[in-house]
Amino acid sequence: MKVTKLCFLAILQCTGLLAAAQSSQDIIKINQSGYYIRASKIAAVTSDYKTDEYAGSNFGFFVLKAETGDTVYKGALGPIRQSGNSSIKTRIADFSALQLAGQFNIYIPGIGTSYTFNIGNDVHRKAAIAVLKGFYYQRVSMPLDEKYAGKWHRPAGHPDTAVLVHPSAASLKRPAGTRISTPGGWYDAGDYNKYVVNAGITTGTLLAAYEDFPAYFEQLETNIPESRNGVPDILDEALYNIRWMLSMQDPDDGGVYNKCTNAAFDGMVRPGLTKLPRYVVQKGTAATLDFAAVLAQAGRLLKKFSRQYPRLADSCLRAAESAWSWAQKNPALEYNQNGINQRFEPKVTTGGYGDRNFSDEWFWAAAELLASTGKKGYCDTLSSHAAGPVQLPSWGNVRMLGYYTIARLQKSLPAFAGGLAEDMRKQVIAFADAYLTRPAANAFGTVMGGTKSEFNWGSNSNAANQGIALINAYLFTGDKKYAAAALTNLDYLLGRNATGYSFVTGIGHKPPMRPHHRPSISDGIDDPVPGLLAGGPNPGMQDHAYYEHTEPETAYSDTDASYASNEIAINWNAPAVYLFNALEALQKRVWSEP
Ligand code: 9MR
Ligand code: 9MR
């Protein structure tokens, strides 16, 4: 029966009638970036969405040496797992016992072979560097030279040296129409605007990566113009955006404008081609507190580099404290774009990042300022906003970033913060503990996908942020099970997921080729700009683009119209930078020689 069905499929395929039949490479889902020699190694063999045919088979599997086809390992597929996030069924091929460096394929009789993959040390270094370098490609106001940008070199994008104060942002000293200079920073995403709220969590996450793994980052080079200036590339990259953030603060009162933006989204054109006016819009509590948090972090971390950047650390800390003072006077000023558009012209229709709950922003800013200054007042604010369970970070919920910092720096905080820090450490560990049982239950063997609600706009950032929580638990406890769980989400992001995509451009055999990213769409180059993480499966499908599959974990469309599943964004790339590089930094410690 099985044989007849397969022949029938083969005939259909040959006559071109069954365009959507999956290849063996699509069926056998692997981490396309590879596997560490002594870490867990699994592939998920999936059904074809319509039948259980492949997943239902009882075939054994073989691992073959790519060069020779010799069998180096054979095993049995695990029992059928029904995914909770789609109609897909899987069987797991576990070849963790194969601890051999080299290039391999999985072969399953009746199905065929997988993509070729590497087993080795440093296998994810390329991906780890790529996602950090992705930020360089998002730089707004400087030319990207061929020396650093390769075939994606381009002239500078928006100069942003004469940006108009929008009527919503008018103040006594800066009436509407005043020109201010706010150059640099990164484009937020596939669009050409710069948003402080989203830049906050993004830059904060990059700085946290450095603070957790300084020695690793001090030797990591990404070939950016600042490489080899004595400052780690990750800090130089973050600084390109931090300098922009500084220019978004009103020097008169310390408040921070929500964004620097066009009135409406640009078309699918080269960066900076349109010369339409740019505006800074209303200041807000979320933007100002996120700014305070990041500048406090920078003030702490840049001290070590005072030779390269004299006085910069102090300026950052001062900016953070004056932002904090503004927020104390404006403790809950929402950025409500619809409301603003009813009162002012021109109407602004770009991303809102409107947030109405500021408790988490107060918390994060207080945490970073406490860590950088040791002042008791910040600790009091922290305690008063500490209530409530911890939740995975997102642009609208940054509380957990404060937990990480306070728990990380526990030992260097003043005594009065000791109890609080201990409690936060415990909460982060408990949060991570809840993830540990997931891989055994999940159809793809990953932490990602424990609930359907994880598949929202930018779902891939959830996978990465879950990984960060687990890495923190590892750092706090030294227990390798947390690092192993974090690795399952790197596997998820780089191919072992229901879509079979490796979600980072330029990485793996099947990366996104048509991200919603204006620079990639408009450059006439087939390959998109590399090192960018696609948003990922999002059954909300708010873009009304064409989706071949629409279930929570399959609703991903590699088309440039799909901004709800296939845009890229800095706040999604940053946790990938943390996760990928953390695992590269930890690999030898966690998965060492027996
Ligand atoms: O390109 C825009 C993208 O960055 C945003 O995430 C998205 C949602 O706000 O909007 C995109 O712009 C689209 C706009 O909303 C509607 N007209 C088409 C635009 C380009 O696809
Ligand atoms: O990441 C944002 C997501 O959480 C929201 O649901 C979505 C719609 O408001 O907007 C996303 O952010 C977009 C921003 O508004 C404009 N630049 C592109 C961002 C990523 O799509």
Side-chain angles (χ1 to χ4, degrees):
M1 175 60 198
K2 190 151 284 149
V3 174
T4 10
K5 236 191 207 167
L6 280 176
C7 291
F8 181 52
L9 283 177
I11 292 164
L12 282 180
Q13 250 172 323
C14 293
T15 52
L17 289 174
L18 198 71
Q22 288 193 296
S23 69
S24 56
Q25 293 162 329
D26 277 326
I27 292 166
I28 308 170
K29 295 177 165 76
I30 59 166
N31 181 333
Q32 296 168 31
S33 165
Y35 300 89
Y36 292 128
I37 300 178
R38 292 192 162 70
S40 157
K41 301 172 201 72
I42 72 177
V45 183
T46 56
S47 59
D48 64 356
Y49 299 94
K50 294 177 199 72
T51 70
D52 299 345
E53 180 135 19
Y54 309 123
S57 73
N58 261 317
F59 302 130
F61 73 93
F62 299 81
V63 182
L64 315 180
K65 225 175 156 35
E67 305 84 35
T68 59
D70 293 351
T71 299
V72 290
Y73 185 83
K74 70 180 173 215
L77 297 176
I80 293 180
R81 296 186 186 187
Q82 170 63 60
S83 178
N85 304 308
S86 72
S87 49
I88 295 179
K89 294 186 170 77
T90 68
R91 282 174 180 271
I92 298 292
D94 189 334
F95 51 105
S96 305
L98 174 65
Q99 302 196 340
L100 193 65
Q103 292 206 309
F104 305 93
N105 296 96
I106 293 168
Y107 169 68
I108 305 178
I111 294 178
T113 51
S114 70
Y115 292 119
T116 301
F117 56 87
N118 288 311
I119 297 179
N121 294 322
D122 312 326
V123 271
H124 302 305
R125 192 64 55 101
K126 182 180 168 207
I129 290 175
V131 284
L132 178 51
K133 181 72 176 272
F135 283 90
Y136 166 76
Y137 288 107
Q138 291 294 101
R139 291 188 189 189
V140 174
S141 309
M142 60 184 274
L144 306 187
D145 293 340
E146 192 167 1
K147 193 173 161 205
Y148 311 110
K151 64 179 168 182
W152 299 278
H153 65 89
R154 61 165 171 85
H158 297 73
D160 289 338
T161 45
V163 169
L164 302 173
V165 173
H166 187 261
S168 64
S171 58
L172 213 55
K173 291 209 177 141
R174 289 181 166 184
T178 306
R179 278 169 211 278
I180 69 166
S181 180
T182 178
W186 305 303
Y187 288 124
D188 181 58
D191 63 324
Y192 289 145
N193 306 298
K194 309 189 285 192
Y195 309 81
V196 172
V197 167
N198 205 41
I201 183 171
T202 303
T203 315
T205 300
L206 295 182
L207 293 177
Y210 170 72
E211 193 161 37
D212 278 333
F213 301 98
Y216 167 86
F217 281 110
E218 276 156 26
Q219 52 75 48
L220 189 78
E221 277 195 31
T222 61
N223 185 30
I224 56 176
E226 302 81 7
S227 292
R228 304 192 179 189
N229 68 349
V231 178
D233 283 3
I234 190 168
L235 288 186
D236 279 322
E237 193 55 62
L239 253 180
Y240 186 75
N241 197 59
I242 288 168
R243 290 188 192 280
W244 164 68
M245 289 177 81
L246 281 167
S247 71
M248 289 294 281
Q249 183 174 43
D250 183 343
D252 295 323
D253 61 10
V256 178
Y257 303 106
N258 187 274
K259 58 178 168 176
C260 167
T261 184
N262 285 15
F265 286 115
D266 262 338
M268 295 297 159
V269 298
R270 302 301 294 142
L273 183 96
T274 55
K275 306 291 177 211
L276 296 164
R278 305 268 277 179
Y279 299 92
V280 290
V281 299
Q282 188 202 282
K283 295 164 194 165
T285 304
T288 303
L289 287 172
D290 286 341
F291 172 102
V294 170
L295 273 293
Q297 276 178 298
R300 182 166 78 239
L301 296 172
L302 290 172
K303 270 195 204 130
K304 193 168 165 186
F305 303 99
S306 61
R307 195 175 54 76
Q308 292 86 352
Y309 296 119
R311 290 177 302 280
L312 186 56
D314 289 343
S315 313
C316 289
L317 205 51
R318 262 199 312 280
E321 295 208 276
S322 85
W324 178 267
S325 309
W326 183 91
Q328 285 182 311
K329 290 172 210 132
N330 302 273
L333 184 57
E334 188 189 332
Y335 178 75
N336 173 349
Q337 195 154 277
N338 288 336
I340 289 171
N341 284 341
Q342 279 160 28
R343 289 161 52 213
F344 303 108
E345 292 291 337
K347 296 194 193 325
V348 175
T349 56
T350 54
Y353 290 114
D355 187 2
R356 292 187 201 160
N357 184 334
F358 307 108
S359 179
D360 55 301
E361 283 82 10
W362 278 107
F363 185 88
W364 182 34
E368 299 300 348
L369 279 158
L370 170 63
S372 299
T373 67
K375 290 183 191 164
K376 176 84 170 50
Y378 297 121
C379 192
D380 297 341
T381 308
L382 202 60
S383 313
S384 68
H385 287 278
V390 280
Q391 285 173 320
L392 205 60
S394 64
W395 62 260
N397 189 344
V398 292
R399 184 186 306 273
M400 201 163 181
L401 305 182
Y403 275 69
Y404 293 152
T405 290
I406 295 299
R408 170 193 309 129
L409 300 176
Q410 187 177 21
K411 295 208 179 69
S412 53
L413 293 175
F416 57 74
L420 212 57
E422 186 52 32
D423 181 56
M424 289 181 196
R425 204 171 253 251
K426 286 193 185 128
Q427 288 207 49
V428 171
I429 295 167
F431 184 85
D433 279 338
Y435 287 148
L436 293 175
T437 52
R438 286 177 167 205
N442 178 275
F444 295 87
T446 61
V447 168
M448 177 62 180
T451 65
K452 287 199 177 82
S453 62
E454 285 162 24
F455 298 98
N456 58 4
W457 196 316
S459 63
N460 282 341
S461 68
N462 294 333
N465 274 307
Q466 291 170 347
I468 295 181
L470 286 157
I471 296 287
N472 273 275
Y474 169 75
L475 294 174
F476 300 155
T477 62
D479 193 330
K480 296 177 180 181
K481 67 187 178 194
Y482 296 110
L487 183 63
T488 70
N489 275 9
L490 179 135
D491 289 342
Y492 173 92
L493 289 171
L494 298 180
R496 202 174 76 226
N497 62 64
T499 71
Y501 278 89
S502 164
F503 285 119
V504 177
T505 56
I507 298 295
H509 298 273
K510 191 181 179 183
M513 289 303 289
R514 311 217 40 136
H516 185 86
H517 182 238
R518 284 167 174 75
S520 297
I521 293 169
S522 62
D523 64 7
I525 300 169
D526 285 344
D527 294 324
V529 170
L532 302 174
L533 178 67
N538 169 19
M541 299 180 284
Q542 293 88 341
D543 47 44
H544 309 293
Y546 172 73
Y547 286 71
E548 192 182 347
H549 304 289
T550 58
E551 295 181 298
E553 66 181 348
T554 62
Y556 169 72
S557 171
D558 183 20
T559 56
D560 52 39
S562 182
Y563 53 77
S565 82
N566 207 31
E567 187 162 358
I568 64 93
I570 56 173
N571 63 314
W572 308 335
N573 248 67
V577 168
Y578 186 113
L579 177 64
F580 294 11
N581 285 284
L583 287 165
E584 277 290 295
L586 293 173
Q587 54 168 324
K588 300 232 166 75
R589 217 194 297 171
V590 176
W591 296 289
S592 52
E593 305 281 335

